[in-house]
Amino acid sequence: MITYNEVLSERLIHLLDELELRGFTRWNGVQGRGTTTGEPHMGNHIWPSLNGAMYVVVEDEQLDAFFDALSELDAQGRGLRAFVSPVERAI
């Protein structure tokens, strides 16, 4: 799962295409704030920006390359967090 500043939406799609990661689900207009740093993203007049969230299905052998690319994107300072949870079952 990735949460990110919405300005990164198109870059993330491009990154998925580059890494040939096809499966994802995306939500736009997500509100939230980080645990220790960063400004809230609430979509209101005080905190006007919003986040996006994305679930991406990644095979184990692709995970390191994916996280390396996400880390590079996060280093640009726009705000991005990624978390890994195993997929136990899927239909």
Side-chain angles (χ1 to χ4, degrees), residues 4-23:
Y4 53 90
N5 186 314
E6 275 192 338
V7 300
L8 297 175
S9 293
E10 294 307 314
R11 286 184 171 167
L12 282 168
I13 298 299
H14 181 72
L15 176 65
L16 294 175
D17 290 343
E18 283 182 344
L19 296 173
E20 298 180 359
L21 297 171
R22 182 161 168 79

Side-chain angles (χ1 to χ4, degrees), residues 28-33 40-44 49-52:
N28 297 316
V30 177
Q31 298 176 351
R33 64 180 179 205
H41 296 254
M42 302 302 228
N44 60 32
S49 61
L50 287 166
N51 287 326

Side-chain angles (χ1 to χ4, degrees), residues 25-73:
T25 299
R26 178 173 73 173
W27 294 267
N28 297 316
V30 177
Q31 298 176 351
R33 64 180 179 205
T35 55
T36 57
T37 60
E39 296 181 351
H41 296 254
M42 302 302 228
N44 60 32
H45 68 282
I46 297 171
W47 305 106
S49 61
L50 287 166
N51 287 326
M54 183 182 292
Y55 280 137
V56 183
V57 177
V58 180
E59 296 294 333
D60 289 341
E61 60 270 6
Q62 295 173 295
L63 189 58
D64 288 337
F66 185 47
F67 258 69
D68 289 346
L70 290 174
S71 293
E72 288 179 26
L73 191 55

